Amino acid sequence: VIPMYSTSTQKREWTFGTVEELNEKRVNANAEYRARFAPFVQPEEESGYLTTDEEQAIIRMVSERGVAFGESFRPPLWPSIRWMAYAYFKRFFLVKSAMEYSPKVVMTACYYLAAKIDEFYVPIHEFVENLRSGSAEQNTARILALEPEIMRVLKYHLTIHCPFRPFEGHLMEMKRTLLLLNFDIETLRPAACQFLRDSLLGDAMLQYAPSQIALAAIKHSLDSNAKSPEVLCDFVQKLLGVSDDGASDSWSASGAEAHVAVEKLLARLELIVESVRAGAAAVPSPPEQQQLQTRSMVWSQLQQVLETRKMADPSTGPNREEPVDSDDD
C-alpha cells in the first residue's frame, strides 16, 4: 500500500522549507568530498576543485539533457518514470558531490532504477541501446554498479509521489465545478504539461507537495492563456470547500479564516510558478557549458593525481576508493 504524501518519507525526509536548506546540504556535500583529499592536495591545486556553484551548473546542464533522453527513450516512458528519476537524481546530489560521481552516469542509472520501481520492465540490454555514448558493456557495468549505491544514498526511500494524478484530478474537478467558463478546460493542458516538464529542471519537487505543483501548472496555463485570475481563485475556493460568501462547507472556520486559507494557497502557487521559471532559466548557455566541460577536465586530472597520492600513502592506500570515470562528452 502506497502511503499518502502527508505521511510519506518524501514529505518527512526529502521536502525542504527553503532554498537555503538545499544550498547548505550541497555545500556540505562538496566540503565532505574535498576533506577526503585534504592531506594530499597542495595549496596551489585548490583551484582545481569544482565549487558548489559549478557543480550545480553541471547538474542543471545534465538535467536539461536528461529531459531529452527521457522523451526520446524507446519504448516510450511514462511521465511518472521521468519524475521519479529526477527525484532520485536531485536527492542523490544533496548528499554526494558531482566531483565524486558523474552526473550523467547518475542520471541514466536513476532512469533505470525508476523504471524498475514503477514496474516498467526494460531489460538492461534494451535500456543501454538508448544511450548515445559509451559501449553497451561499459554502460551496463556503470549502471548496475551504481544502482545499489543510489538506493543506499536515498536510504531506500524509493516511493515517489508525482503531480500527474493530482493534475488530472484538478482538471476533472474544474470541469465538474466551473460550469460557466467560456473556454474548454482541455486547452489548459499543453502549457500545463510544459510547466511540469520545466519543473524537472529546478528545485520545486524538493520544496512543494505534488498536488500543489499540479495546481501551479494550472495557474501557469491560465496565465499563459490570458485567462482571468478569478478562474483560479474560484476553483481554489471550491477546492477548499469555501463558498462564495466566504464561509466554509467542509471545515469549521470563520469567513476570515477561510479567506486567509485561500489567499495563502494562491500565494504559495505563485511561489511555485516563480521557482519553476527560475529553474528553467538557470540552464547554462552553450558558452557556459563549454567552460564547465573544461573545468570538469581540470578536476578530472587533479582527481587522478590526488588518488595516486592517496594510494601511495601507507595509511590510506589499502582502503582507497576507486576514482569515478568521468563521462562528460
Side-chain angles (χ1 to χ4, degrees):
V1 177
I2 298 177
M4 297 183 65
Y5 171 77
S6 59
T7 59
S8 67
T9 57
Q10 181 172 340
K11 184 174 190 287
R12 186 173 68 249
E13 303 279 348
W14 300 102
T15 301
F16 303 89
T18 65
V19 174
E20 288 71 25
E21 286 183 75
L22 297 173
N23 290 338
E24 182 180 359
K25 285 186 170 295
R26 290 160 177 159
V27 168
N28 290 341
N30 180 284
E32 288 174 7
Y33 186 65
R34 288 179 180 231
R36 297 187 189 182
F37 297 105
F40 311 105
V41 66
Q42 301 299 319
E44 65 273 12
E45 295 171 329
E46 291 280 351
S47 62
Y49 284 120
L50 297 177
T51 66
T52 304
D53 288 342
E54 287 173 332
E55 286 186 310
Q56 288 310 299
I58 292 170
I59 286 169
R60 286 193 294 269
M61 181 174 67
V62 172
S63 294
E64 182 185 39
R65 296 175 182 178
V67 173
F69 171 76
E71 290 176 339
S72 64
F73 193 93
R74 293 295 177 270
L77 296 173
W78 302 330
S80 57
I81 294 173
R82 189 168 62 186
W83 192 272
M84 291 170 65
Y86 272 77
Y88 297 159
F89 180 76
K90 292 176 186 298
R91 293 178 182 185
F92 186 87
F93 284 112
L94 289 180
V95 180
K96 294 295 183 179
S97 167
M99 289 186 286
E100 181 177 8
Y101 293 92
S102 164
K104 181 179 178 181
V105 179
V106 173
M107 174 66 78
T108 56
C110 285
Y111 263 108
Y112 182 67
L113 177 59
K116 291 173 70 173
I117 298 301
D118 213 23
E119 299 183 359
F120 185 92
Y121 178 67
V122 182
I124 186 64
H125 69 274
E126 291 185 16
F127 184 92
V128 298
E129 288 176 358
N130 288 274
L131 300 176
R132 298 180 180 177
S133 62
S135 67
E137 293 77 12
Q138 182 185 52
N139 289 330
T140 297
R142 286 175 169 175
I143 291 171
L144 295 182
L146 194 52
E147 183 183 17
E149 175 67 2
I150 292 172
M151 291 191 289
R152 185 190 66 79
V153 170
L154 300 184
K155 298 184 284 189
Y156 302 94
H157 297 157
L158 303 177
T159 298
I160 303 296
H161 294 261
C162 303
F164 305 107
R165 287 185 179 178
F167 173 71
E168 296 298 335
H170 290 326
L171 287 188
M172 290 176 63
E173 191 67 9
M174 289 181 75
K175 294 173 183 178
R176 187 184 72 83
T177 60
L178 303 181
L179 303 177
L180 301 180
L181 293 179
N182 60 355
F183 65 92
D184 183 357
I185 289 175
E186 281 297 322
T187 60
L188 300 178
R189 187 179 293 274
C193 288
Q194 180 62 42
F195 179 88
L196 294 175
R197 180 187 187 277
D198 290 343
S199 298
L200 297 170
L201 301 176
D203 290 331
M205 68 170 64
L206 295 173
Q207 293 186 267
Y208 302 104
S211 61
Q212 293 180 347
I213 295 175
L215 197 54
I218 291 175
K219 169 182 166 49
H220 166 78
S221 188
L222 286 167
D223 293 343
S224 299
N225 286 279
K227 304 303 180 184
S228 170
E230 292 302 315
V231 175
L232 181 66
C233 186
D234 290 347
F235 179 60
V236 168
Q237 286 181 340
K238 289 179 169 58
L239 201 61
L240 296 180
V242 178
S243 62
D244 293 338
D245 60 5
S248 172
D249 298 328
S250 58
W251 45 288
S252 56
S254 66
E257 290 173 328
H259 179 73
V260 168
V262 170
E263 292 300 317
K264 183 177 179 180
L265 179 53
L266 290 173
R268 192 166 182 81
L269 298 181
E270 185 64 42
L271 290 175
I272 297 173
V273 170
E274 291 175 1
S275 173
V276 170
R277 288 173 177 168
V283 175
S285 65
E288 291 171 333
Q289 292 185 24
Q290 184 61 48
Q291 184 178 9
L292 289 169
Q293 289 177 346
T294 301
R295 288 287 292 127
S296 294
M297 293 176 61
V298 170
W299 159 244
S300 181
Q301 293 170 357
L302 176 59
Q303 184 186 38
Q304 293 178 22
V305 171
L306 296 178
E307 287 287 354
T308 300
R309 292 174 187 166
K310 187 176 182 181
M311 182 173 57
D313 190 297
S315 64
T316 59
N319 298 317
R320 73 185 188 280
E321 298 178 19
E322 291 297 330
V324 173
D325 187 12
S326 178
D327 188 13
D328 297 317
D329 58 340

